[in-house]
């Protein structure tokens, strides 16, 4: 064997060790979660409480391993299926013959099968193919297997898959994002055709168009979704709402500090911020802070925050405040840490016993699953005098995390919310001539 062959063999051996380690990790996580579930059952808890205990265990495992909670939940389900229903594949995974991605893909196929004998057939036949082909090839094999062994359930599976249709956005580097849509294949084929036709037509419209076909297709998609041709009756591009979390000096071109979106995922460089500031229809929102940069507070009378306060809270939190959860604040519940009391006793409460104010210091964003765990008592949370939260789990106490935990704090003062429908570029130029950032908005009355 040549030295080069030895290196390749070493790479294969290392891969097998990694894949076997993935299986051991998955087994340990499954045992941890199942032990928590068994303990809850032993205590005679209700089915809802048992499931809550399982979800808290998954959250703890995710925090310990620095993984997304959804990933750990899927890992637990897939590992249970492998251990119980696919012993041949599971043994191969433990030996390092297949990696975690392939094992999870096989398990997800087993979930779609209706007859136990077909699950057994899958277990007995798939490993030989999985160990000698790529993940993409394995996915094709599994799709063919499904159709071949259970053709009568194809319509049912298609309807179930159709119910899962969705659109997701993933933030990438350099001001770009990935837009993905899970939609029916028949629609995708039509969209693919129309994008190509529109791209070719736009490129041929001028003689100096240097865009590639791929670039023109991307532009055609954006133009179609945003109605840039102005043929539709919708509002078109709409207003671009930017949560500015840096000094005003950046907007005025006097600082290189970047801007960050409310969920903390999108970084906006100073040049892009200046471009947006000059764009007609752009809406900037400004949160007033104290001298230390802390967010100032506001209290309202009703249970539900008004739109200005809700928008301010979106910018303060950005995401669900459970560590590891990245659900944007716009998709979360606004939770009163001290419950809102719609029927206070006559004459009010004694000093120090006021309950549930609709105030920024008492309002926190929690996604519906985590909000539910907190409401049912499966997760507990406490707050210090500045409103900073701490979550208490069976094995640890952890600081709440939001998109701007390290940048902002809550203060018991008044917050003013200022909106500017259009920032006149002449205003920026005027401030630059004066050599200072100044203020670019009139204070709210």
């Amino acid at each position: 064997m040549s030295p080069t062959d030895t290196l390749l063999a070493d790479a294969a051996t290392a891969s097998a060790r990694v894949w076997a380690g993935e299986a051991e990790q998955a087994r340990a996580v499954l045992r941890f979660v199942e032990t928590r579930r068994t303990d809850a059952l032993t205590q005679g808890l209700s089915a809802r409480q048992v499931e809550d205990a399982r979800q808290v265990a998954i959250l703890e495992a995710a925090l310990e391993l620095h993984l997304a909670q959804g990933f750990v939940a899927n890992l637990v389900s897939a590992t249970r299926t492998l251990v119980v229903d696919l012993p041949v594949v599971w043994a191969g995974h433990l030996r390092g013959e297949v990696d975690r991605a392939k094992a999870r893909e096989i398990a997800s196929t087993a979930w779609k099968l209706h007859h136990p004998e077909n699950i057994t057939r899958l277990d007995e036949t798939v490993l030989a193919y999985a160990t000698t082909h790529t993940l993409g090839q394995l996915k094709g094999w599994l799709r063919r297997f499904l159709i071949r062994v259970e053709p009568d359930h194809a319509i049912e599976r298609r309807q179930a898959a159709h119910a899962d249709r969705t659109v997701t956005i993933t933030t990438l580097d350099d001001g770009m994002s990935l837009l993905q849509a899970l939609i029916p294949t028949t629609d995708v084929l039509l969209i693919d055709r129309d994008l190509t036709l529109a791209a070719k037509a736009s490129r041929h419209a001028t003689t100096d168009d240097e865009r590639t076909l791929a670039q023109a297709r991307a532009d055609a998609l954006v133009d179609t979704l945003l109605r840039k041709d102005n043929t539709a009756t919708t509002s078109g591009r709409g207003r671009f709402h930017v949560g500015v979390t840096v000094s005003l000096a950046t907007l005025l071109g006097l600082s290189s500090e970047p801007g960050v979106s409310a969920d903390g995922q999108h970084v906006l460089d100073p040049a892009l911020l200046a471009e947006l500031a000059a764009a007609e229809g752009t809406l900037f929102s400004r949160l007033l802070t104290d001298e230390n940069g802390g967010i100032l507070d506001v209290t309202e009378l009703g249970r539900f925050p008004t739109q200005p306060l809700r928008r301010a809270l979106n910018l303060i939190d950005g995401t669900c405040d459970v560590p590891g959860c990245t659900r944007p604040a716009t998709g979360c519940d606004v939770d009163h840490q001290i419950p809102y009391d719609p029927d206070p006793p006559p004459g009010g409460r004694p000093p120090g016993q006021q309950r549930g104010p609709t105030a920024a210091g008492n309002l926190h964003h929690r996604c519906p699953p985590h909000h539910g765990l907190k409401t049912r008592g499966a997760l507990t949370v406490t707050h210090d005098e500045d409103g900073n939260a701490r979550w208490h789990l069976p094995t640890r106490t952890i600081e709440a995390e939001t998109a701007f935990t390290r940048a902002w704090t809550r203060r018991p003062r008044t917050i003013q919310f200022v909106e500017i429908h259009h920032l006149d570029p002449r205003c920026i130029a005027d401030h630059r001539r004066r050599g200072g950032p100044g203020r670019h908005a009139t204070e709210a009355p």
Side-chain angles (χ1 to χ4, degrees), residues 214-405:
Q215 293 170 336
R217 278 167 51 90
D219 293 342
L221 176 64
V222 172
D223 291 347
T224 300
L225 291 178
L226 299 184
R227 297 292 191 268
K228 286 188 175 181
D229 56 4
N230 294 323
T231 58
T233 58
T234 61
S235 59
R237 185 177 179 86
R239 294 191 297 184
F240 193 94
H241 191 197
V242 180
V244 180
T245 61
V246 297
S247 65
L248 180 59
T250 294
L251 281 179
L252 303 178
L254 303 176
S255 170
S256 60
E257 184 73 17
V260 183
S261 64
D263 61 4
Q265 297 298 311
H266 302 272
V267 178
L268 308 177
D269 62 81
L272 178 56
L273 286 172
E275 179 182 336
L276 292 173
E280 186 68 35
T282 295
L283 171 67
F284 278 84
S285 300
R286 178 164 58 83
L287 299 180
L288 298 185
T289 65
D290 62 17
E291 62 278 5
N292 297 319
I295 291 290
L296 305 180
D297 206 359
V298 67
T299 298
E300 296 181 344
L301 299 179
R303 175 181 180 182
F304 300 103
T306 61
Q307 185 60 30
L309 176 57
R310 178 65 187 255
R311 185 179 296 147
L313 292 170
N314 288 344
L315 298 178
I316 294 172
D317 287 343
T319 62
C320 171
D321 73 350
V322 172
C325 185
T326 57
R327 176 76 69 88
T330 52
C332 292
D333 300 332
V334 178
D335 179 31
H336 285 72
Q337 175 57 24
I338 303 175
Y340 176 78
D341 188 353
D343 298 310
R349 296 182 181 277
Q353 297 186 19
Q354 180 64 39
R355 288 183 56 79
T358 301
N362 190 47
L363 298 174
H364 299 263
H365 283 99
R366 275 94 194 226
C367 68
H370 289 138
H371 188 191
L373 290 174
K374 180 239 178 186
T375 300
R376 294 188 294 272
L379 282 177
T380 58
V381 60
T382 58
H383 296 73
D384 61 24
E385 59 183 10
D386 288 329
N388 301 310
R390 291 180 177 85
W391 289 94
H392 303 279
L393 283 74
T395 59
R396 71 199 70 200
T397 294
I398 48 180
E399 298 285 344
E401 294 180 355
T402 65
F404 305 123
T405 297

Side-chain angles (χ1 to χ4, degrees), residues 4 7 60 68 72 90 123 147 184 325 339 392 406 429:
T4 302
L7 292 174
E60 288 186 89
V72 175
W90 175 240
D123 187 39
I147 295 295
C325 185
H392 303 279
R406 292 180 295 277

